[in-house]
Amino acid sequence: MSENLDKSNINEEGKSKSNDSEQGLEDAVEGSDEALQKIKSGSPSTQRVQRPHSSPPRFVTVEELLETAKGVTNMTIAHEIVINGDFRIKPVELPEDSLEKKVKDIVHKAFWDCLSVQLCEDPPTYDRAIKLVGEIKETLLSFLLPGHTRLRNQITEVLDLDLIKQEAENGALDISKLAEFIIGMMGTLCAPVRDEEVKKLKDIKEIVPLFRAIFSVLDLMKVDMANFAVSSIRPHLMQQSVEYERKQFQEFLEKHPNSLDFVTQWLEEAADDLMNQKYRNALPAVGEASGSGDSPGPDPVAVQNYAYLKLLKWDHLHRPFPETVLMDHSRFQEFQLQLEQLTVLGAVLLVTFSMAAPGISSRADFAEKLKMIVKILLTDMHLPSFHLEDALTTVGEKVCLEVSSCLSLCGFSPLTMDKEAVLKGQIQAMASPDNPIRRIVDSRILTFLETYLVSSHQKPLPTAPGGLGPVQTELEEVAINFVRLVNYNKMVFSPYYDAILIRNVCWVTWSEVI
C-alpha cells in the first residue's frame, strides 16, 4: 500500500507545482472563496466531479472576524484539552529582545517607581497601594471554592478596602501587617509546588519589592489554578466535546461555505484509489469491508480509513491539509516522522537479524540492545540538518561491531569481512526511500496500522507483521495514539464525511456503472 500512497503523492506533487503561485495567493486573501476556488481548480479529483461553484466573495466586518476567531480559538482549546492528556497552561514568557517585553518592562518600572515615590511622601500616599490590595483581594477570592466560607470571610474582613482607606486617611494604616496576612493566605491556597516561592516572600522587607514579588507569585498561582480547573473539567468535557466541536464547526461552516473543499478533495482521492484498486495488493481488506454486498462503490468506512492513512504520507509543503483535521496537523506530522524513523529502524534490524546466526537473533536482550543503539543514532532524523546517509554509515559500523561481539560471546564465529561489507552496504542502502527492503517494511507498517484501525474495538488486537517484532512496542504506541485520534475525529466529523461521500463519490460510482 505504501507504494501506491507514495505514487499518489508524487503525481499530485507534479500537478500541484504549477499551482504554487495560486497557493501563495491563498495567504494573501485568506477567507476569500474566489481564491480558494482558484487554488483547487487544477487538482485532479475535482475535475471528475461537478460540484456547485463557490459562493461569491463578500465583505466581512471586523466584528465577524473577531467572532469567528474566538469560536475557532475556543474549539481549538477544547480539542487540545480532550486529545492531549498532558495539556498544561504555561506562563507567558516573552523573548528578551522583543519589543513587547521592552515596553512591558518600561511600563512596569514606571508603575513601581511611582508607587515608591508615593509611599516615600510625608505623609505617605496610599492610593495606588490600596488599589493593589484590592486586586490582590479579588485574586485570592478567585482561588476559593464554594465551600471555603471561613477563608472567604477572613479575606473579606481583613482586606476591607473601605476600612483600609479610613486607616490611611487617619495615618493608622499598617501595610506590613496587610502584607503578612496576604502572604499567609497565599501559603494556605497555593499548590505545594509554590511553597518555596511563598516562603521567600517573608524575607522581603521593603514594601514595593514585596508587592512586586507578591504579584509575580500570584500569577504563577493563577496558572496552577487554571491547570487544576482543566484537569477537573476534562472528564466532563470528554462527554460534551464531540457535540461542542461539531456545533462550533457548523457555525464556522455557515459563515464560510467553502470550509470543506479540501476535505472533499481528500476523500474523493481516497475513493479514487480504492476504485482503481491501486492499493489492493497491500491492503486487501480495506476495499472488501463487510456489508458492501454487490455494490460497486467503495465502502464509506473503508474510504475514511484509507483517507486517514493517506495523511501519514502527506506532502505538507505542497498540499493544504484537510480542514477537519487541521487542528491535529502537527500530530499527524509527528506520526509521519515517527513512522519514517520506525521504518528505517525496522529495516536495519530486519537485514541484521537475517544475516546473523539464529542463536543470537532470537536473544531478546541482544535485540533490545541493538534496537536502542540504532534508535539513538537515528534520534535526530526529523531535523533538517540530519544526514541519513552519514548516520547509516555509523549505524553499519556499530551494528557489525555489536553482532560480531555477540557471536563471539555465544561461541559462534564472528562475521567475515565479506559479510560485514554486505551488511554495511545493505544498511547504507536504507537511505533511499525506494530501497526494496525499506518499502516492504513501510508497507507492513501501514498494513498493521490499517488492521489496528479496523479492529480497534475488537479483542485481541493484531500482532505486528513478520519482521517487525523488534519494533512492535514502538509500533503499537504509535498505533494506539493514531487510532485514538482518528476515532475521535470520526465521532466529530463523520456526518460531514458521510454526506460528502454520498453526494460526490457514490453518485459518480453509480453513474460510471450505468
Side-chain angles (χ1 to χ4, degrees), residues 395-464:
V395 168
E397 296 285 347
K398 190 64 177 176
V399 164
C400 289
L401 183 64
E402 292 294 331
V403 170
S404 295
S405 175
C406 186
L407 286 171
S408 299
L409 289 175
C410 295
F412 297 101
S413 300
L415 292 176
T416 63
M417 296 290 291
D418 291 340
K419 283 190 174 182
E420 278 195 10
V422 171
L423 181 56
K424 290 178 182 178
Q426 289 184 340
I427 291 176
Q428 291 172 0
M430 301 299 172
S432 172
D434 294 325
N435 177 266
I437 298 176
R438 182 172 168 178
R439 293 183 71 88
I440 290 173
V441 173
D442 179 68
S443 177
R444 290 179 180 178
I445 287 177
L446 290 174
T447 300
F448 174 77
L449 291 176
E450 190 277 333
T451 307
Y452 215 97
L453 190 59
V454 172
S455 60
S456 58
H457 301 294
Q458 303 173 5
K459 299 292 182 179
L461 293 174
T463 58

Side-chain angles (χ1 to χ4, degrees), residues 5 38 48 85 102 161 165 169 199 308 344 356 408 449 481 506:
L5 289 174
K38 287 180 180 180
R48 184 178 56 81
K102 292 179 180 178
L161 297 185
K165 289 178 182 177
E169 293 171 356
K199 184 179 179 181
Y308 286 114
V344 176
S408 299
L449 291 176
N481 294 327
C506 295

Side-chain angles (χ1 to χ4, degrees), residues 52 301 473 496:
V301 175
T473 302
Y496 300 100

Side-chain angles (χ1 to χ4, degrees), residues 41 50 182 235 299-300 369 402 501:
S41 61
Q50 293 295 325
I182 290 170
D299 178 69
K369 179 182 178 182
E402 292 294 331
L501 292 174

Side-chain angles (χ1 to χ4, degrees), residues 55-302:
S55 304
R58 68 182 183 88
F59 293 101
V60 294
T61 64
V62 175
E63 290 76 11
E64 289 178 314
L65 289 175
L66 292 176
E67 183 182 355
T68 300
K70 181 180 179 181
V72 173
T73 301
N74 291 341
M75 182 172 63
T76 303
I77 293 175
H79 179 82
E80 194 68 22
I81 292 174
V82 172
I83 294 298
N84 185 5
D86 297 325
F87 176 81
R88 295 291 183 275
I89 298 173
K90 298 180 180 179
V92 177
E93 296 182 0
L94 300 175
E96 285 295 330
D97 297 331
S98 66
L99 177 62
E100 186 177 357
K101 188 175 190 309
K102 292 179 180 178
V103 173
K104 180 181 177 180
D105 291 343
I106 292 173
V107 173
H108 282 201
K109 184 178 184 302
F111 175 84
W112 294 112
D113 288 347
C114 183
L115 176 63
S116 180
V117 170
Q118 285 189 341
L119 294 179
C120 290
E121 293 177 356
D122 188 18
T125 303
Y126 292 105
D127 293 347
R128 291 181 183 272
I130 293 174
K131 289 181 179 179
L132 292 180
V133 172
E135 292 182 20
I136 294 172
K137 175 183 177 181
E138 294 302 320
T139 302
L140 292 175
L141 290 174
S142 69
F143 294 153
L144 300 180
L145 297 176
H148 292 161
T149 306
R150 183 178 61 83
L151 293 177
R152 189 181 305 276
N153 292 337
Q154 284 184 3
I155 295 173
T156 304
E157 180 180 346
V158 177
L159 302 182
D160 186 339
L161 297 185
D162 293 333
L163 179 60
I164 292 174
K165 289 178 182 177
Q166 292 179 10
E167 292 177 347
E169 293 171 356
N170 296 321
L173 179 61
D174 188 350
I175 288 287
S176 300
K177 184 177 180 180
L178 290 178
E180 183 180 350
F181 171 80
I182 290 170
I183 294 172
M185 190 58 65
M186 290 171 63
T188 302
L189 299 176
C190 73
V193 71
R194 303 300 172 198
D195 286 342
E196 192 63 31
E197 283 94 335
V198 174
K199 184 179 179 181
K200 291 179 181 178
L201 296 176
K202 299 178 181 180
D203 299 330
I204 304 176
K205 303 305 179 183
E206 297 183 16
I207 297 300
V208 174
L210 177 58
F211 268 94
R212 193 165 188 171
I214 285 174
F215 274 94
S216 177
V217 176
L218 285 175
D219 287 340
L220 296 176
M221 291 175 62
K222 289 178 183 178
V223 174
D224 296 336
M225 181 57 67
N227 286 322
F228 172 75
V230 167
S231 62
S232 300
I233 68 173
R234 180 176 282 116
H236 307 286
L237 190 60
M238 283 288 291
Q239 302 171 6
Q240 308 294 332
S241 59
V242 172
E243 290 80 5
Y244 175 77
E245 285 193 38
R246 190 182 299 159
K247 178 183 176 183
Q248 290 290 321
F249 185 79
Q250 180 61 37
E251 293 176 357
F252 182 82
L253 185 61
E254 290 171 357
K255 297 175 183 178
H256 305 274
N258 287 3
S259 297
L260 284 174
D261 284 3
F262 293 130
V263 172
T264 302
Q265 179 178 335
W266 168 52
L267 293 176
E268 286 179 351
E269 289 173 1
D272 284 344
D273 288 347
L274 296 183
M275 287 296 296
N276 294 330
Q277 300 180 356
K278 292 180 179 179
Y279 74 105
R280 192 170 293 275
N281 291 334
L283 288 178
V286 178
E288 299 172 4
S290 60
S292 60
D294 297 328
S295 172
D299 178 69
V301 175

Side-chain angles (χ1 to χ4, degrees), residues 1-13 306 310 312-314 336 433-434 439 442-443 446:
M1 183 189 76
S2 61
E3 295 184 10
N4 296 290
L5 289 174
D6 291 335
K7 289 179 181 178
S8 175
N9 282 332
I10 292 171
N11 293 335
E12 289 154 359
E13 179 181 350
Y306 185 72
K310 283 175 69 70
L312 301 177
K313 292 291 183 180
W314 201 259
Q336 189 169 349
D434 294 325
R439 293 183 71 88
D442 179 68
S443 177
L446 290 174

